[in-house]
Structure formats: C-alpha cells, structure tokens
C-alpha cells in the first residue's frame, strides 16, 4: 500500500466536503504508480445519489484512459466502499482496494450504508423496496439478440 495515495484520497474527501460538494469521501484510481482518476463525493452538489467518490474516480479514470475496463488499476478510498461502490469496483475490474475508515466509522458519522448491505442479504421478497417481476420472455429475447450480435463487446 502506498500511504501517500491513501492520504490523497483522504485529502480529497476533506477538500470536497469543505467546498460543499458532498460528504467526506474521496478516492483515486492508480495505474503503474500514477494517479489516473480522482473523485470525491458530489451527491448533494449534483443531486446525483450515485456520485460517490469511488464512482466519480472510476468515471474520471475511464475517461482519462479511454476504456471501460480498469484492469491493472487499484483504487484508494478514504472509506470502505458501500455496496454500490463495491459493485462498481468489480464492474470496472479494479484489482485491489485500499481504504482508510470503515463502514462502521461512516455509520457513526451519520451515513447508513450498513443498512444496504443488510437489505442485499435478504431474499427479494423480504426487502423494504418491493420487487415485482414481469415480461420475462420479452426480456429473454433481448438477451438472445445480444448473443446473436456478431460485433458485441464483452465486458
């Protein structure tokens, strides 16, 4: 772990928070010892609940590298990623997560990400947001069309 990179993520968390852009979360994406993406929480300043530091850093890195895959990269984040960010890190193919504060630390500061982890562990019928399934066959047709698409790009 490069502690200077982790300090940069923490610095971004404070800088973004003090600028009024969102909560105290920061992240950077690193490839070959170089920062290729930066992000800080921008949820309240952009009215975007997905604008978490890790997501913003991933978007920045993908734009800077002109790719949707961050294989070969690592992410440094000021706090343990929430379930959304954790999933995005997997989708981006990042290879390692370095973090400082824990989810419990965030919860103690008033952020309730832990309840999302709890919800995801429940069967769909038991979750607080109702999930209703429909048009299964029509949806499968879209996947069949994808499988026939000769120029599809796997991700």
């Amino acid at each position: 772990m490069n502690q200077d990179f982790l300090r940069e993520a923490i610095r971004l968390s404070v800088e973004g928070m003090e600028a009024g852009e969102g909560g105290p979360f920061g992240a950077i994406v690193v490839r070959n010892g170089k920062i290729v993406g930066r992000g800080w929480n921008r949820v309240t300043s952009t009215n975007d609940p997905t604008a978490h530091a890790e997501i913003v850093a991933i978007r920045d890195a993908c734009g800077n590298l002109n790719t949707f895959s961050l294989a070969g990269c690592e992410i440094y984040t000021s706090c343990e990623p929430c379930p959304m960010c954790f999933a995005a890190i997997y989708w981006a193919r990042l290879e390692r997560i370095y973090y400082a504060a824990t989810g419990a630390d965030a919860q103690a500061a008033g952020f309730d990400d832990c309840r999302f982890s709890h919800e995801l562990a429940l069967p769909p019928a038991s979750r607080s947001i109702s999930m209703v399934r429909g048009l299964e066959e029509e949806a499968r047709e879209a996947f069949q069309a994808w499988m026939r698409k000769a120029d599809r790009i796997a991700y």
Side-chain angles (χ1 to χ4, degrees):
M1 174 187 351
N2 183 319
Q3 291 184 346
D4 289 336
F5 288 146
L6 199 51
R7 282 187 184 98
E8 175 64 5
I10 295 167
R11 186 191 70 74
L12 288 172
S13 76
V14 173
E15 184 178 281
M17 175 197 58
E18 289 179 346
E21 296 202 4
F25 302 94
I28 61 169
V29 175
V30 175
R31 183 172 76 175
N32 298 326
K34 182 179 178 187
I35 297 173
V36 296
R38 286 181 168 80
W40 51 91
N41 186 286
R42 296 180 180 171
V43 169
T44 57
S45 62
T46 62
N47 295 317
D48 179 356
T50 69
H52 289 200
E54 296 90 341
I55 303 288
V56 174
I58 288 168
R59 290 174 180 163
D60 188 45
C62 287
N64 290 334
L65 298 174
N66 195 32
T67 183
F68 60 84
S69 173
L70 296 177
C73 297
E74 304 170 326
I75 191 163
Y76 287 78
T77 179
S78 65
C79 186
E80 182 178 8
C82 74
M84 176 184 69
C85 293
F86 188 69
I89 288 165
Y90 270 87
W91 275 111
R93 308 298 192 256
L94 288 154
E95 296 184 1
R96 185 167 288 117
I97 302 166
Y98 297 103
Y99 66 97
T102 67
D105 295 326
Q107 186 175 22
F111 297 93
D112 61 353
D113 299 356
C114 293
R115 80 178 167 102
F116 302 129
S117 296
H118 173 75
E119 283 281 322
L120 289 171
L122 297 173
S126 298
R127 294 179 183 153
S128 62
I129 297 177
S130 176
M131 294 179 67
V132 180
R133 186 173 178 205
L135 302 177
E136 300 89 7
E137 291 303 318
E138 291 179 34
R140 285 190 195 105
E141 289 174 16
F143 286 120
Q144 291 166 357
W146 168 255
M147 295 303 295
R148 290 190 302 271
K149 185 173 170 44
D151 63 343
R152 72 179 182 263
I153 299 172
Y155 58 96

